[in-house]
Amino acid sequence: MTLHAWVLVTSVWVHLPFSLVYHVECALRRDDTFDPLRCWSRRLDNSFIHVSAACIAVGTSHGSVPYLVACALFNAVAIARHWQDEVHIYRNQNMTLTSIMLYIAPMIWRRDVANLAAAMMSLFPAGMIFRTYACGGYSHAIFHVLMGRFAVDVLNSALGQDVATGSSPAAAVVTLLRPIY
């Protein structure tokens, strides 16, 4: 497996524990003192979304160091803003969306239209459900289910020939997930 593919796949696993801690805390803490927008676990979850986004940009750009630096700088600013005392929900969501756009941009310059179109077909409805809370309390869960397909398409694009030949563990994961999504 190439270094950029390894960084891409590892980034998902780096974010996972922080996401789990936040979501479990939200599920278990129902007292009046808990603020799910200002708690430390949400800030860590969002911070590691941005760490992962910079790493995913390494994978989708096939290891471009200048692109990594640009994405890392943007995501460092976003992380700092997540830790400010005052929470700006829409600003933070827009910064997260921008980080996603930054890591899928290489799909455009590589002219990977098929994977980009497939990714956008899950990103757009997922984003709309998340942003508008269209499904009430189920919106966040539906967002994550739809983003699973998005992740498969981004991995498929980043790994390219590895997926076609099944020549890496990451490619095997994509191959296994395709029928589910």
Side-chain angles (χ1 to χ4, degrees):
M1 180 173 7
T2 62
L3 179 60
H4 73 269
W6 185 87
V7 170
L8 175 83
V9 173
T10 302
S11 73
V12 175
W13 293 106
V14 167
H15 168 244
L16 183 63
F18 300 100
S19 182
L20 287 174
V21 166
Y22 171 61
H23 288 89
V24 167
E25 185 175 27
C26 285
L28 297 178
R29 299 237 1 230
R30 290 290 170 205
D31 57 80
D32 292 338
T33 63
F34 179 66
D35 183 352
L37 294 179
R38 289 170 180 77
C39 64
W40 63 270
S41 59
R42 179 176 184 269
R43 293 173 194 263
L44 277 175
D45 180 28
N46 284 312
S47 295
F48 278 89
I49 287 170
H50 287 286
V51 169
S52 289
C55 294
I56 293 168
V58 171
T60 59
S61 70
H62 293 175
S64 169
V65 174
Y67 197 67
L68 164 64
V69 170
C71 290
L73 287 172
F74 172 81
N75 284 292
V77 169
I79 289 168
R81 290 190 174 167
H82 279 293
W83 288 90
Q84 292 176 340
D85 288 336
E86 189 175 344
V87 175
H88 299 276
I89 295 170
Y90 291 119
R91 181 200 65 198
N92 292 347
Q93 287 178 353
N94 288 336
M95 292 187 83
T96 301
L97 179 61
T98 301
S99 72
I100 292 169
M101 293 297 130
L102 285 171
Y103 72 68
I104 65 173
M107 296 166 74
I108 297 167
W109 78 58
R110 286 189 285 105
R111 294 180 177 89
D112 187 0
V113 177
N115 284 310
L116 179 62
M120 295 308 286
M121 287 175 58
S122 54
L123 178 63
F124 183 75
M128 292 305 295
I129 288 169
F130 185 85
R131 185 77 178 241
T132 63
Y133 214 60
C135 300
Y138 296 101
S139 296
H140 196 90
I142 293 168
F143 164 79
H144 278 286
V145 169
L146 292 172
M147 288 302 285
R149 177 63 219 197
F150 173 80
V152 168
D153 296 324
V154 171
L155 278 169
N156 196 37
S157 176
L159 299 175
Q161 192 59 32
D162 284 355
V163 173
T165 62
S167 62
S168 74
V173 169
V174 171
T175 303
L176 285 172
L177 290 176
R178 257 197 216 135
I180 297 170
Y181 286 99

